[in-house]
Amino acid sequence: MLMAGVVEMRGVSKRFGTVTALDGLDLTVEQGEVHGFLGPNGAGKSTTLRLLLGLLRADGGSARLLGMDPWRDVAAVHRRLAYVPGDVALWPNLTGGEVIDLLGRLQGGQDPARRARYLALFDLDPTKKARTYSKGNRQKVALVAALATDAELFLLDEPTSGLDPLMEDAFRGCVRELRDQGRTVLLSSHILSEAEALSDRVSIIRAGRVVETGRLEDLRHLTRTSVTADVGTVPTGLDLLPGVHDVVVVNHRVSAQVESSGLAPFMKALTAAGLSSLTSQPPTLEDLFLRHYGAGRPGQERANA
Amino acid sequence: MRETFAGAGTLVRLGLRRERWLLPLWILGFALTTYTTASAGADLYPDTASRVEAANAVNATASLVALFGRIYDPTSLGALSLIKYTAFMAAVLAVLMVFVTVRLTRSEEESGRLELLAGGRLGRQAPLAAALAISFSASVTLGLVTAATLAAGGLPAEGSLAFGLGWAATGMAFSAVAGVAAQLTTSARAAIGMASAVVAVTYALRAVGDLAEPGPSALSWLSPIGWNQQIRAFEGDRWWVLLLPLALCVVLVPAAFLLRAHRDLGAGLRAERPGPAVGALSGVRDLAVRLQDRTLAAWAVAFVIFGVVIGSLASNAAGLLSSANAQDLLRKLGGAQALNDAFLAAEIGIMGVLAAAYGLAAAGHLRSEEASGHTELLLSTATTRTRWGGSHFAAALAGVTVLLLLAGLSIGIGAAATLHDAGQIWRVTLAAVAQAPAAWVVTSLVLAVFGWAPRLASSVWGLLAVFIALGEFGVLWNAPQWLMDLSPFQHSPALPVDAGGVGPLLGLTFVAAVLAAVGFAGWRRRDLAA
Ligand SMILES: Nc1ncnc2c1ncn2[C@@H]1O[C@H](COP(=O)(O)OP(=O)(O)O)[C@@H](O)[C@H]1O
Ligand SMILES: [Mg+2]
């Protein structure tokens, strides 16, 4: 038998009083992949990660992490993983450096060279008291602490939500590096483009249930860029180009939904037609749900109809 | 001008909503105890002769004068009955107002909640104005309610009003002190510490001032708690003294607003200094110690000072009964030694309760660390729940024990010096450490509640208040024995501790262990709760 997934969740459910946070969730993360875990706010991403960390206890279903039970085998599992919470809270009186070293020791040691490298990469001053850090800087502390360990599995809960674009770029470099080293990453996000840029596979969670999972190429229909362009003369046959959908022409303005593979020929055609201005927008998760399911989130069906 | 206070009304409503349990409960507690004391006084001291004798005994006992103050009119029933309330309970009231004021100002700022609100239309001075409005009106309400309950308890109406207004003005003065402290420090903990230190220093100032013969010296007049005593309710009602705390407010409130006007949101007086780039904390146990070492150090200093003072007052205890008859009775009861022991035992009992309060606060880290999200970060490492919980619990237990050991040593050394008897050190220290198991029970209660109902963890403070009230008033209230026995302090052996104390101590330790086991069992199986 082949090695089972690093994360295996089957029919996991979790309720908080009357709120159902997870409703029969299935999730598999394979060894060595970067797995994007996509869903809008409140979909249940953080709850899933907390269950995997043994911080919460599932009401039903089964979950395995690195072949072990996330609730019972806490110490053994945690020695092999690193976690960055969605909302990083630090001790106001400790410096960033003190927190990084404390977390590293509790994790069973971190590599000083890597610690120094990531501090420099994220441009983080470790001598500042945590009280004075911004949200982004608190997140960097948790990121450096996690990245400097020798974990096999990284659970990252919306790790870029407080980072500026430059730091986001640095973070993406780090994730690619982890993948090249054969480590496994589960990366939650509510931004489709982020998952697209990093993930080998994605799972899309909605209202506590994984509704779509697979390689990005296979989910290509989900990742269309919306393009609006002003051209001199509107060329004909745009809607016949491969990967181009929903073409609308108003006077000299063309708008369309284009798959990534269709972008090059589409742009070529627009350039030839005397392109004068261009805006493009990656689809948001909300667009994706609207398009893919033809309806909004549960309870909004009528509003979006 | 109007801009800087915009939104204060909204904040007052928000603050009152947050404090809607704590404040009424405290006011009720103060009213209930003063009523009990006032109505019991007439039975305890039925005629003038008995009052004069008791009042003279108090005034002749340095330890009582230091702790509670003097009685200026020996015939006054009100002054005698309320001897514990003009300084001691006024200090408790002051600390309460410090907590309320800081919770509504620096705590909100530190948590970032104020920043959230500041995005809306909220003037810079609105939070401080709202906090002072709430703590001032709470002080006045508490004062008026107290005046009413004292009068209902049978004391003269005019004196009752003077007493109540004295408390109100004292509460206001220390609210203003806290308002200033909240501008100076970056953390709420430090602001509470700073303002509480002012309470302690002013309390000590008047203790020294009151001890001077023949009456209060200038030192008592330097202290807002001294002012509260110098109103002399029921013994002349000197209304003009009320102007002193009000004048202090007139100085401190504008000062607090001025300090606030000249600093940034979240900042203190001093810019935050950089710290070490590399950490020395090797695990959760180090962290637990680090999170409470400063607080423990402050408590330790207070315990040692308090202890030495009490110990050195030991020889005065025999002066309590000065008439020939009483001295004769004293000899029959076992001599001055027994009386000294009774005095020291009572003080050691107070230290035991205070140590339990420390244990409660220290074990409170279990909940505050979980609620702030720090625990989530730590438990995502190889740290187990038991190890993390155990580190905070053990640190709290150790802190309690160290405090009582220090208290015992300092009382013992003070007593040994005044009584010229080195043997006191050993027996007093033993008696102080014997208070530890009861304090451990209170500490373990926090863990037990934390394990099963984390959001109720701070309700153990209410239990502690009930235990204290049972010890203080249980007999007066005719409380049934089983109810009195619920308080762990009821079972602590008193000085002199002999072999008979071993059983109760083992029993208390066992109860603490069971409570801890129950707490850990719940903590190991529940969800982390924000
Ligand atoms: N401790 C909790 N108590 C009650 N409800 C919760 C708790 N944690 C999460 N929820 C609810 O569960 C749902 C999923 O939340 P979460 O996992 O945080 O979503 P996401 O991380 O995808 O934004 C939400 O409806 C949220 O309100
Ligand atoms: Mg989340």
Side-chain angles (χ1 to χ4, degrees):
Chain A
M1 197 180 95
L2 273 167
M3 173 143 188
V6 171
V7 174
E8 293 271 6
M9 299 176 87
R10 295 283 164 268
V12 172
S13 61
K14 178 69 191 171
R15 277 183 305 277
F16 296 105
T18 55
V19 180
T20 301
L22 298 184
D23 184 16
L25 177 116
D26 297 314
L27 178 67
T28 306
V29 178
E30 304 290 351
Q31 169 87 40
E33 72 174 355
V34 175
H35 195 103
F37 191 36
L38 267 171
N41 293 324
K45 303 182 294 294
S46 299
T47 303
T48 306
L49 294 186
R50 289 194 179 120
L51 275 168
L52 288 175
L53 284 160
L55 300 173
L56 303 176
R57 192 174 201 168
D59 294 320
S62 75
R64 306 292 287 174
L65 193 59
L66 296 162
M68 290 180 273
D69 183 316
W71 179 264
R72 276 190 292 107
D73 308 322
V74 173
V77 174
H78 287 198
R79 250 185 281 282
R80 294 166 58 189
L81 63 77
Y83 169 58
V84 175
D87 196 359
V88 182
L90 303 177
W91 298 266
N93 275 329
L94 300 188
T95 64
E98 286 179 297
V99 174
I100 291 170
D101 291 348
L102 172 68
L103 293 175
R105 290 197 182 105
L106 293 176
Q107 197 62 11
Q110 58 188 198
D111 178 357
R114 286 178 43 184
R115 176 189 188 272
R117 212 189 108 217
Y118 286 118
L119 276 177
L121 183 68
F122 285 113
D123 193 20
L124 182 71
D125 179 354
T127 67
K128 285 220 175 110
K129 294 273 171 68
R131 172 180 296 124
T132 65
Y133 282 139
S134 65
K135 174 176 163 56
N137 279 335
R138 290 200 304 272
Q139 219 154 22
K140 288 183 199 170
V141 169
L143 273 172
V144 172
L147 291 170
T149 62
D150 197 34
E152 297 164 42
L153 169 65
F154 289 80
L155 301 176
L156 311 178
D157 193 0
E158 308 203 19
T160 59
S161 57
L163 300 186
D164 60 46
L166 210 63
M167 290 303 146
E168 219 176 301
D169 214 46
F171 167 76
R172 289 181 184 187
C174 293
V175 172
R176 290 195 187 99
E177 224 168 80
L178 292 178
R179 182 182 39 202
D180 295 344
Q181 294 163 354
R183 301 171 203 268
T184 311
V185 180
L186 176 57
L187 171 75
S188 98
S189 176
H190 68 274
I191 306 160
L192 191 57
S193 60
E194 177 171 278
E196 194 180 5
L198 290 171
S199 310
D200 303 307
R201 292 199 313 143
V202 296
S203 290
I204 295 172
I205 179 175
R206 175 176 178 247
R209 206 186 264 273
V210 169
V211 290
E212 191 91 42
T213 189
R215 301 180 59 77
L216 265 174
E217 293 88 285
D218 303 335
L219 302 181
R220 175 125 310 156
H221 60 291
L222 299 177
T223 60
R224 295 173 190 169
T225 305
S226 124
V227 178
T228 305
D230 289 329
V231 287
T233 51
V234 176
T236 52
L238 277 178
D239 50 347
L240 297 177
L241 288 171
V244 178
H245 309 268
D246 306 336
V247 178
V248 177
V249 178
V250 179
N251 298 329
H252 290 281
R253 175 161 293 182
V254 181
S255 51
Q257 309 290 335
V258 189
E259 293 172 18
S260 8
S261 64
L263 275 174
F266 184 63
M267 296 314 286
K268 209 179 209 168
L270 289 181
T271 314
L275 181 63
S276 62
S277 96
L278 180 78
T279 56
S280 76
Q281 213 172 22
T284 66
L285 211 55
E286 299 297 317
D287 293 343
L288 186 154
F289 283 134
L290 288 176
R291 198 172 311 137
H292 192 59
Y293 302 100
R297 286 195 255 164
Q300 296 188 340
E301 256 85 351
R302 241 161 352 132
N304 288 314
Chain B
M1 188 66 197
R2 172 157 294 169
E3 267 311 289
T4 59
F5 288 96
T10 314
L11 285 184
V12 168
R13 276 192 297 279
L14 197 69
L16 284 177
R17 208 187 119 74
R18 271 192 54 195
E19 304 288 342
R20 70 187 184 283
W21 294 112
L22 189 77
L23 274 180
L25 272 176
W26 272 103
I27 292 174
L28 196 73
F30 274 91
L32 219 87
T33 49
T34 46
Y35 176 78
T36 310
T37 310
S39 52
D43 296 335
L44 286 170
Y45 312 105
D47 52 28
T48 310
S50 62
R51 287 173 209 161
V52 171
E53 187 176 358
N56 286 339
V58 169
N59 284 340
T61 311
S63 51
L64 291 182
V65 171
L67 211 55
F68 301 128
R70 285 179 182 277
I71 291 169
Y72 296 95
D73 176 1
T75 62
S76 163
L77 176 63
L80 179 62
S81 306
L82 294 168
I83 176 82
K84 286 187 184 173
Y85 290 77
T86 49
F88 191 75
M89 284 302 267
V92 174
L93 167 68
V95 171
L96 170 67
M97 288 307 154
V98 165
F99 265 87
V100 171
T101 310
V102 174
R103 267 164 65 95
L104 293 170
T105 50
R106 184 52 77 170
S107 302
E108 289 295 281
E109 216 170 299
E110 193 183 16
S111 71
R113 279 191 288 270
L114 219 50
E115 193 166 350
L116 196 67
L117 294 174
R121 237 181 62 78
L122 190 66
R124 177 186 300 177
Q125 301 286 14
L128 180 59
L132 289 177
I134 289 175
S135 49
F136 279 12
S137 31
S139 302
V140 172
T141 308
L142 196 151
L144 293 178
V145 170
T146 302
T149 52
L150 287 177
L155 289 172
E158 202 180 334
S160 301
L161 187 62
F163 184 94
L165 290 183
W167 267 11
T170 308
M172 287 169 64
F174 283 100
S175 305
V177 168
V180 172
Q183 310 310 313
L184 301 179
T185 67
T186 42
S187 84
R189 204 171 268 272
I192 288 173
M194 185 184 285
S196 302
V198 174
V199 177
V201 167
T202 53
Y203 190 81
L205 272 179
R206 62 130 286 279
V208 178
D210 286 1
L211 280 172
E213 290 294 346
S217 77
L219 284 180
S220 299
W221 288 100
L222 283 178
S223 158
I225 294 180
W227 299 338
N228 185 50
Q229 296 182 293
Q230 295 311 323
I231 295 168
R232 302 193 184 175
F234 307 107
E235 36 189 4
D237 302 333
R238 301 197 287 183
W239 300 98
W240 61 269
V241 180
L242 283 170
L243 291 176
L244 293 175
L246 295 183
L248 186 65
C249 289
V250 169
V251 174
L252 290 183
V253 170
F257 282 118
L258 200 68
L259 285 167
R260 176 65 191 91
H262 289 281
R263 69 171 179 87
D264 298 333
L265 187 71
L269 196 63
R270 219 177 41 196
E272 197 72 51
R273 279 172 307 189
V278 180
L281 297 171
S282 69
V284 285
R285 204 171 308 158
D286 273 10
L287 180 66
V289 170
R290 169 75 176 266
L291 290 180
Q292 49 188 296
D293 57 1
R294 283 194 196 178
T295 315
L296 181 60
W299 278 71
V301 169
F303 264 53
V304 167
I305 293 174
F306 196 49
V308 169
V309 171
I310 285 172
S312 54
L313 292 171
S315 63
N316 284 107
L320 181 66
L321 301 169
S322 45
S323 71
N325 269 351
Q327 292 285 355
D328 188 44
L329 186 69
L330 177 61
R331 257 188 302 281
K332 284 182 192 147
L333 284 174
Q337 164 88 345
L339 201 64
N340 278 335
D341 278 0
F343 165 69
L344 289 178
E347 303 303 325
I348 290 170
I350 293 179
M351 301 297 243
V353 173
L354 289 175
Y358 173 80
L360 210 170
H365 275 113
L366 286 166
R367 177 56 193 155
S368 61
E369 285 286 285
E370 182 191 21
S372 61
H374 298 161
T375 308
E376 173 169 346
L377 202 55
L378 292 174
L379 292 187
S380 73
T381 68
T383 310
T384 61
R385 290 185 180 219
T386 311
R387 195 176 173 75
W388 174 82
S391 69
H392 282 287
F393 183 57
L397 292 183
V400 164
T401 316
V402 165
L403 285 178
L404 284 170
L405 189 66
L406 285 175
L409 283 172
S410 46
I411 297 178
I413 290 172
T418 41
L419 298 173
H420 306 293
D421 172 13
Q424 294 290 343
I425 299 179
W426 159 246
R427 57 197 295 275
V428 168
T429 304
L430 181 69
V433 173
Q435 310 301 308
W440 293 342
V441 170
V442 174
T443 310
S444 306
L445 264 173
V446 179
L447 177 56
V449 178
F450 167 77
W452 294 92
R455 293 191 178 91
L456 298 180
S458 57
S459 66
V460 179
W461 282 107
L463 275 180
L464 179 65
V466 170
F467 293 156
I468 295 173
L470 281 175
E472 189 84 349
F473 302 112
V475 179
L476 218 55
W477 290 337
N478 285 323
Q481 191 60 40
W482 65 262
L483 189 64
M484 310 259 288
D485 283 346
L486 284 183
S487 165
F489 304 113
Q490 203 73 22
H491 306 282
S492 286
L495 187 75
V497 177
D498 53 27
V502 173
L505 288 180
L506 287 178
L508 286 169
T509 309
F510 177 72
V511 170
V514 169
L515 286 170
V518 167
F520 276 122
W523 165 233
R524 270 199 297 266
R525 75 194 62 210
R526 74 168 168 82
D527 286 349
L528 228 66

